[in-house]
Amino acid sequence: MKYILILTLCSLVDKTCTDPHVFHTDFNNLYECQLNGYAQSMHKVQKIGSDTINEYGIYVKFACSEVETI
């Protein structure tokens, strides 16, 4: 079984989330997908910056979803 990473940005202030962003990289196992999820989340938070994160209460959530391989 392979996994794909799905990342979503949300706002505590607006109580909304963006449409999920699906990474079209297949990961060989859940462990690799989760490591990449944490790395991508940290990258997003750093890119957005502390001012915007704090002003809008932005947080990142991610999931690793199984995909069937043929």
Side-chain angles (χ1 to χ4, degrees):
M1 196 61 75
K2 299 267 186 175
Y3 294 85
I4 58 169
L5 175 63
I6 304 166
L7 192 132
T8 307
L9 296 173
C10 298
S11 168
L12 292 168
V13 173
D14 295 335
K15 297 188 180 11
T16 59
C17 295
T18 62
D19 290 335
H21 176 75
V22 178
F23 291 80
H24 295 286
T25 302
D26 290 345
F27 296 95
N28 292 320
N29 56 56
L30 185 58
Y31 177 80
E32 290 176 7
C33 183
Q34 287 186 14
L35 282 180
N36 194 267
Y38 286 112
Q40 291 292 338
S41 296
M42 188 170 75
H43 176 73
K44 271 293 187 206
V45 167
Q46 290 173 331
K47 187 174 179 180
I48 294 168
S50 64
D51 290 342
T52 303
I53 294 286
N54 290 323
E55 182 178 348
Y56 295 102
I58 293 175
Y59 63 97
V60 180
K61 58 183 183 177
F62 72 87
C64 293
S65 181
E66 287 183 336
V67 290
E68 286 192 37
T69 55
I70 299 174

